[in-house]
Amino acid sequence: MELWQKMLQASITSPTRLTRRYGIDPRPLADVAERYPMRVTPYYLSLIQSVGDPIWRQAVPSMDELEEGSCCADPLDEEEQSPVPNLVHRYPDRVLFMVCSECAMYCRFCTRKRKVGKENMQISRDTIAQGLAYIRNHPEIRDVILSGGDPLLLSNEQLEAILKELRAIPTVEIIRIGTRMPVVLPQRITQALVRMLHRYHPLYLNTHFNHPDEITNSSTKAIARLADAGIPLGNQTVLLRGVNDDPHTMRRLMQKLLSIRVKPYYLYQADLVLGTEHFRTTVEEGLEILRWLRGHTSGIAVPAFVIDAPGGGGKIPLLPEYLQSLGSEVLLKNYLGHDYRYANAQPKEEELWQVALQA
Ligand SMILES: *Cc1c(COP(=O)(O)O)cnc(C)c1O
Ligand code: SF4
């Protein structure tokens, strides 16, 4: 057994294991862990500095998970948009393909809390074969995102079998992997894994750091291996109350990501997922964080701030109000709140006709 597999086996899967170390009453939390599974790797546990800190809040069940939410178990209508089990086809040219039902750690805020790590998430050879057949039969799909669960919880052989099949489909241009392994079990990023991944380029990997304390020597080393294999690395962060909902923490996170060669990709407004209401911030707070980034630090440190639209409308970007008005003059505000004017170009002749015809 490899080190990462041993570490996975040594994970905590019940709150009782926390009692001795932290002196908390595990009994009420056991009910929560019944409903939504718990698993924390010894590595991630070692990052906790005190009860209730940002690392703790992401990993340890809370009574708040039993509160009623603003919406439902599947606010993004993923099940409605799945033509075959575990494959979401929402956008014209790309799909989200869930190839593993488990994760090394069960994040308390997970958008797929309704099924990840639970019995109702059934992934088998058969569902994977159905997903591959769907992609093969839909040549408009040029981008496949492997997700789950965590695809890197599969063995190298299992994952390679899927990558090989995908690469045999000529219409698939790029493959992306979404994984939280570099954050919660960086020991998974072995030399053997990256050597294998390297054979399936163009391959992109998006990881999921939410707090600067998650960037450690171990995660830095794991990320360096991936980057050295020529895999472009992005990061998706969820805006979470009590974890990263302040501009200073977020700016430090984005800057630290760049220093380990990861490009911040998305900052998500929290979804309306049942059992995660206590993590939600207002949209205004997200916009304020974005206003703190743009112009104040490297442009490449600024992710796109998006709301994944309830009902399956996809990701919708939000920006603070830089554009004040449009017309022959464009009125703008810069990052310091100063006003600027930009003289607009003359519209193309055809556009003028269209305006005239509509009048
Ligand atoms: C997020 C997502 C994608 C990928 O979106 P990009 O903006 O291309 O990164 C694709 N399909 C589904 C269902 C998604 O949720
Ligand atoms: S790693 Fe991703 S899929 Fe798994 S529990 Fe965390 S957020 Fe959910």
Side-chain angles (χ1 to χ4, degrees):
M1 206 188 276
E2 291 187 65
L3 173 66
W4 71 269
Q5 288 163 322
K6 284 187 198 144
M7 290 182 78
L8 187 67
Q9 261 188 5
S11 295
I12 287 184
T13 56
S14 135
T16 48
R17 299 268 306 274
L18 295 167
T19 312
R20 193 146 32 105
R21 192 152 160 183
Y22 297 103
I24 56 156
D25 177 5
R27 279 164 303 178
L29 297 186
D31 294 342
V32 182
E34 279 287 300
R35 173 141 14 147
Y36 302 114
M38 169 184 187
R39 184 190 268 160
V40 192
T41 59
Y43 164 78
Y44 199 76
L45 201 66
S46 77
L47 304 185
I48 294 175
Q49 286 169 12
S50 60
V51 173
D53 76 5
I55 303 293
W56 174 285
R57 290 175 66 89
Q58 294 184 67
V60 179
S62 149
M63 294 304 288
D64 293 338
E65 293 174 47
L66 303 178
E67 299 278 306
E68 245 174 71
S70 307
C71 180
C72 38
D74 180 20
L76 308 181
D77 270 2
E78 289 191 329
E79 305 300 338
E80 286 288 303
Q81 295 179 335
S82 295
V84 297
N86 302 312
L87 181 141
V88 186
H89 195 176
R90 173 173 299 149
Y91 294 106
D93 67 342
R94 53 208 191 280
V95 290
L96 187 105
F97 186 14
M98 292 172 235
V99 296
C100 182
S101 63
E102 293 183 38
C103 299
M105 178 175 103
Y106 293 115
C107 311
R108 306 322 299 175
F109 53 82
C110 180
T111 283
R112 294 198 190 105
K113 213 175 164 90
R114 68 182 184 280
K115 63 178 190 176
V116 164
K118 305 203 328 182
E119 272 154 23
N120 59 346
M121 190 166 191
Q122 294 288 343
I123 290 179
S124 60
R125 271 170 195 277
D126 181 52
T127 64
I128 290 177
Q130 284 185 54
L132 290 166
Y134 182 86
I135 296 164
R136 221 174 273 124
N137 294 329
H138 289 80
E140 70 274 21
I141 298 169
R142 40 161 290 287
D143 175 4
V144 176
I145 300 154
L146 298 182
S147 180
D150 200 315
L152 294 191
L153 207 57
L154 298 176
S155 69
N156 293 357
E157 293 71 28
Q158 289 170 316
L159 183 59
E160 179 160 22
I162 296 168
L163 292 172
K164 204 174 255 165
E165 293 270 358
L166 286 174
R167 273 288 163 248
I169 305 172
T171 42
V172 172
E173 292 171 11
I174 63 168
I175 300 172
R176 296 192 259 175
I177 293 179
T179 176
R180 217 179 173 207
M181 283 296 181
V183 187
V184 296
L185 186 56
Q187 296 75 13
R188 171 64 184 104
I189 313 301
T190 59
Q191 295 287 15
L193 174 69
V194 298
R195 267 201 306 274
M196 184 277 282
L197 294 177
H198 183 257
R199 291 198 285 272
Y200 296 92
H201 273 309
L203 184 106
Y204 290 72
L205 189 143
N206 268 324
T207 185
H208 183 168
F209 286 92
N210 285 330
H211 192 275
D213 289 354
E214 293 171 340
I215 300 176
T216 61
N217 288 338
S218 303
S219 54
T220 299
K221 200 171 134 202
I223 290 292
R225 279 189 176 163
L226 292 164
D228 288 347
I231 301 171
L233 299 168
N235 186 71
Q236 322 204 92
T237 295
V238 187
L239 177 54
L240 298 167
R241 172 149 334 280
V243 174
N244 57 19
D245 58 336
D246 91 276
H248 294 275
T249 305
M250 201 62 93
R251 190 155 74 186
R252 203 149 43 86
L253 172 63
M254 299 306 158
Q255 290 169 342
K256 279 183 93 171
L257 284 169
L258 289 181
S259 72
I260 61 170
R261 291 188 278 171
V262 175
K263 164 78 184 86
Y265 178 47
Y266 279 138
L267 172 64
Y268 288 97
Q269 174 69 19
D271 291 328
L272 304 176
V273 178
L274 189 66
T276 67
E277 185 68 25
H278 55 298
F279 282 113
R280 243 155 42 90
T281 66
T282 62
V283 175
E284 287 86 338
E285 285 171 88
L287 286 170
E288 182 59 13
I289 285 171
L290 221 65
R291 211 180 53 72
W292 259 72
L293 292 172
R294 172 62 64 195
H296 297 274
T297 187
S298 319
I300 53 170
V302 187
F305 176 45
V306 296
I307 296 187
D308 220 335
K315 298 172 183 78
I316 301 175
L318 301 179
L319 268 185
E321 287 302 317
Y322 296 111
L323 182 60
Q324 304 292 303
S325 71
L326 274 171
S328 59
E329 266 205 323
V330 181
L331 296 184
L332 302 160
K333 260 196 203 314
N334 81 345
Y335 73 104
L336 297 170
H338 301 156
D339 293 318
Y340 294 87
R341 286 162 192 276
Y342 174 86
N344 213 349
Q346 287 296 322
K348 282 189 284 194
E349 258 182 70
E350 305 92 273
E351 288 171 350
L352 286 175
W353 293 342
Q354 272 164 15
V355 172
L357 283 173
Q358 275 162 12

